[in-house]
Amino acid sequence: MIKRIAGMLAISAVLCAAIAAQPVPAPQDTGSAQEEEPIPAELVPDTDTVEYKAAEPEIGAVRAIGLKDTLTPASDYEQIFPYAAAIAGWKQDGTAVYRYALADEAGEQITNPVYTAVKREICGKTAVWMLESDTAEDGVQVSCAAEDGSWVIGPVYGSITVADGYILVQRSDTPDTKVYSNGTLLGTMAGTMVSCSDGILVSRKTTDQSDIWHIYDADDMQELSTLTAYQIGAFSDGYATMQTAENQWAIVDTKGVITPFTDAAWMDEVCNGYVLVKDTEGKFGVAEVSGKEAVAFEYMDGTHCSEDYPLYQLWKSETECVVISATKGQKLQLPEDLQAQKLLALPNDYFSYVNADGCSVIFDDLKSVVLDSEMQFYEQGNTLVCVTEDGYQLFQLEDGTAGKLISYQYTPSEQNADRSMGQFTITNPATGLQGIGNTRGRMVLRPKYDSICCAGGSYYMAVQDEWSGIVDSNGRWLVRTRLSGVK
């Protein structure tokens, strides 16, 4: 699947729930530290100048090296976790603005609450933490840390992104981009990264005269070719689409060898050696990267309708369409009631459309499954979470079966690492409290938290009443801090 990376980190919305105004009994003592009765408190956003800091932690200790304002890499953290440790102010809607600190798996605090945003991302086969801090003098700094805390990149002024197993760092004071793998610098590429796929990096550097495109082997950062073009797409199996000039299209390989498509008015991105093309007469078809026709140019419209494979939906008219596998040259069997709707591509070569009864249908070339209503879809590991306003259903991608409707609200995660796991945040619609569910349809933690989200493995970032910290899958607090306010 072609991956594109754009933009800066987004502040995680999961931990931004308001702290409950009415006091409730303190969480159950875990044995890690003696627990005191909580002091009743009401958090009132009545000033923009006072910073509300956390009280001394009831569970957890400071590491021997003391608290730092930046993460110091170490080999004995086991795993690091961010958690909301201070309230820095209030939003206009009355919800708290948190500052996050870091703790390790032993429950020892590593940093002060200096981070304004935290985000967990998948980088290759591992996960990393993207950390953002705001310095009043110079603006926002970003860092990227291993999930076990063994290495950290930054903090830097600029941007850090993750793509196809590589970490790309662009400082605000330089036009070039540094490329890392597992915290190790591989090299520098000219300009700004545009795409990273199949181990090929494409960057663009703009000059007064034109855009210069650089193509690199991501493993050793060897520059493979340099080209002048309007645009170059992401690479797939060594080939990419290239717009050489206005209304001029071609295919380019990693060495810079160009194959012109003289009859093309537009070309989609390459997928496994094939590309969707619109010719100069306005007809759609599919071609091989060599220029050979794979699907006849006789369709009024077309779209690439698979995340991973060269499958194309092509329309003969507004009421008639086909789905063709370019590699096999075969048409897929479509449901009779499809009525030429544009299909929604799902993982594992499944598709979805809405039938005449207003219900989403998931199908492949062997069978179809009708869901309870019209759904939105979120991939969660090997499962599709099918979401409606009444709850969610779980569709298992491996065997093509759907479970019953579960009457809790599913909370989509903005973090790619969370979506790769089999656990997710659920909300009780009657109380608004959150818990953790899994892709087997079971409840890991019942909804009793103001906010909770996955922090990796069997640990979760949680806020409950005036408490904030890390809990495990049994609901025991690994780190717990009382958030204080004003009465």
Side-chain angles (χ1 to χ4, degrees), residues 11 28 51 66 79 115 135-137 186 201 203 294 322 437:
I11 293 180
Q28 182 179 355
E51 180 177 349
Q79 194 170 349
Y115 298 105
T135 59
E137 308 81 28
L186 298 178
L201 282 163
S203 67
V322 296

Side-chain angles (χ1 to χ4, degrees), residues 434-453:
Q434 294 188 335
I436 297 293
N438 66 22
T439 53
R440 297 190 298 274
R442 299 174 182 173
M443 192 180 299
V444 179
L445 291 171
R446 65 182 180 86
K448 62 178 183 178
Y449 302 93
D450 294 297
S451 66
I452 190 169
C453 67

Side-chain angles (χ1 to χ4, degrees), residues 6 18 26 36 63-64 89 96 99 164 173 181 216 233 238 240 251 278 295 298-299 350 362 383 387 458 460 475 479:
E36 299 177 358
R63 281 178 68 90
R99 292 294 181 263
D164 207 28
D173 59 354
S181 176
Y216 298 87
I251 293 292
K278 179 181 180 181
V295 177
E298 58 184 21
Y299 298 93
Y350 286 104
I362 298 176
T383 302
V387 179
S458 58
Y460 312 90
V479 176

Side-chain angles (χ1 to χ4, degrees), residues 16 20 26 45 54 60 103 106 138 147 174 268 271 306 327 340 349 351 381 421 453 479:
C16 288
D138 302 308
E147 191 176 36
T174 176
D268 201 355
C271 179
S306 171
T327 54
D349 287 341
F351 301 96
M421 298 174 61
C453 67
V479 176

Side-chain angles (χ1 to χ4, degrees), residues 19 43 53-55 84-87 98 463 466-468 481-485:
I19 307 299
L43 301 178
K53 294 185 178 179
I87 298 175
Y98 292 115
V463 174
E466 74 268 35
W467 297 94
S468 174
T481 295
R482 181 184 283 120
L483 296 171
S484 62

